[in-house]
Amino acid sequence: MLKAVILIGGPQKGTRFRPLSFEVPKPLFPVAGVPMLQHHIEACSKVPNLKEILLIGYYQPNEALSRFLVTAQQEFKVAIRYLQEFSALGTGGGIYHFRDQILSGGPQAFFVMNADVCCAFPLLQMLEFQKKHEETHRYIMLGTTANRTQSLNYGCIVAKADTQEVLHYVEKPGTFVSDIINCGIYLFSPSIFEHIAEVFKRNQQDLQLEENSSWQRTEVIRLEQDIFTALAGRGQLYVYKTDGFWSQIKSAGSAIYASRLYLDQYHVTHPERLAHNKAGAPVILGEDQVLLLGSL
């Protein structure tokens, strides 16, 4: 049995979406005609034996989110629940806080996905990659290539060429490290919580040495800096490199680019979502035609 976790953040995030995010929470912002989250959920629904999707974030429960969850469950025939953090706990702190909910039912593995990414979601390929090397490949991260300048804005992965073992990981380095970047999509076995627990305990010990520190800081854990950096080079963390499209959605402008990527994919996956030319109606120019006209 498998599960999936989607990290949706909260109202303090997504400030680059303002003023649009005042009207609708960023995870529900329409990208290629459907809420951003729907692309993730649809991809998860195609994974055999994936029984539950958990959304983790610190948005207050609201009508728009509740309505979306009901509709998505009906459409994709998969259980979906929202788990609200009491404050922003980081990409690792949220899943650690709700580890009992994630581990309920005994999943063999679970996906973790950032909500603000756009891609083809090669989840089945990541599963196959893990199954081929079950003894060693406990933790898989999705990676793709970027140019030298772009790579500085992301987590950078140095991997062994033959096995794809992650040897070194640096989040947003100051100088060039690697052209393989972290896509924000992971496949973990439950033992990942042992490594997160080590960070939690270390945070507790550090907190005891400080005066006037908030206990909540012990639960703020970042997968990228706190977990992946430590796991690199230990024979447990591997990267599955995708040749498919990928992009972050950090602003309304990047949502337009993401829409373009998804719309291009719709020709194969969802032709019914695309508008078509009809007699007597305005003529729709496809992307190739628009590019051709622009070059005249």
Side-chain angles (χ1 to χ4, degrees):
M1 191 258 279
L2 301 167
K3 291 191 180 186
V5 176
I6 305 175
L7 305 175
I8 68 172
Q12 294 170 359
K13 301 287 185 181
T15 53
R16 280 177 277 182
F17 256 81
R18 292 176 181 170
L20 300 176
S21 56
F22 289 138
E23 297 295 324
V24 61
K26 181 183 171 183
L28 300 185
F29 190 81
V31 176
V34 299
M36 191 188 301
L37 271 180
Q38 184 164 320
H39 297 284
H40 300 63
I41 292 171
E42 181 176 353
C44 290
S45 72
K46 295 176 181 176
V47 177
N49 209 28
L50 195 149
K51 300 297 186 185
E52 186 176 42
I53 300 171
L54 301 172
L55 310 183
I56 296 179
Y58 51 100
Y59 285 98
Q60 289 292 329
N62 58 74
E63 185 181 344
L65 185 58
S66 299
R67 189 167 57 244
F68 169 75
L69 294 182
V70 170
T71 303
Q73 285 187 99
Q74 292 172 345
E75 181 174 353
F76 298 108
K77 306 296 188 289
V78 62
I80 308 172
R81 288 191 292 143
Y82 174 52
L83 304 176
Q84 184 189 356
E85 299 168 299
F86 56 85
S87 66
L89 297 178
T91 49
I95 64 172
Y96 187 68
H97 185 77
F98 291 110
R99 60 194 179 280
D100 291 344
Q101 303 272 11
I102 296 170
L103 297 177
S104 175
Q108 290 89 16
F110 61 97
F111 291 98
V112 174
M113 295 180 270
N114 291 337
D116 59 357
V117 298
C118 145
C119 74
F121 296 103
L123 307 184
L124 294 174
Q125 292 92 322
M126 291 175 72
L127 268 174
E128 188 62 30
F129 181 65
Q130 187 189 52
K131 286 177 181 177
K132 279 184 181 176
H133 314 276
E134 277 185 291
E135 292 184 6
T136 55
H137 291 38
R138 294 183 184 179
Y139 319 122
I140 312 293
M141 59 198 314
L142 184 67
T144 192
T145 55
N147 64 42
R148 292 176 68 96
T149 304
Q150 288 173 331
S151 68
L152 303 180
N153 298 315
Y154 303 98
C156 291
I157 303 163
V158 177
K160 215 171 182 178
D162 53 346
T163 64
Q164 301 307 316
E165 178 196 347
V166 176
L167 301 175
H168 187 53
Y169 181 86
V170 185
E171 185 68 17
K172 297 180 181 176
T175 57
F176 178 74
V177 172
S178 168
D179 63 352
I180 307 171
I181 61 169
N182 176 8
C183 292
I185 298 176
Y186 318 110
L187 176 60
F188 295 146
S189 67
S191 59
I192 191 69
F193 288 117
E194 296 171 13
H195 299 285
I196 301 177
E198 290 177 10
V199 176
F200 180 76
K201 290 173 186 173
R202 191 163 64 244
N203 286 351
Q204 282 185 316
Q205 292 168 354
D206 292 344
L207 198 66
Q208 289 172 356
L209 300 176
E210 298 179 21
E211 294 182 9
N212 304 318
S213 293
S214 169
W215 62 270
Q216 291 181 352
R217 277 181 50 200
T218 61
E219 290 203 63
V220 177
I221 299 169
R222 304 159 300 175
L223 284 175
E224 300 81 4
Q225 292 96 324
D226 298 324
I227 306 299
F228 297 153
T229 301
L231 282 176
R234 291 169 59 177
Q236 295 182 330
L237 181 63
Y238 290 76
V239 58
Y240 176 81
K241 288 189 280 188
T242 178
D243 294 325
F245 70 88
W246 179 86
S247 180
Q248 268 192 328
I249 309 175
K250 292 292 186 184
S251 65
S254 58
I256 294 172
Y257 178 66
S259 289
R260 174 184 169 184
L261 295 175
Y262 279 132
L263 288 170
D264 190 48
Q265 189 187 39
Y266 280 179
H267 288 287
V268 176
T269 60
H270 286 291
E272 77 284 354
R273 290 183 184 171
L274 297 172
H276 300 281
N277 284 315
K278 296 177 183 177
V283 176
I284 300 168
L285 296 179
E287 183 182 331
D288 293 338
Q289 291 168 292
V290 172
L291 290 175
L292 180 61
L293 287 170
S295 63
L296 293 178

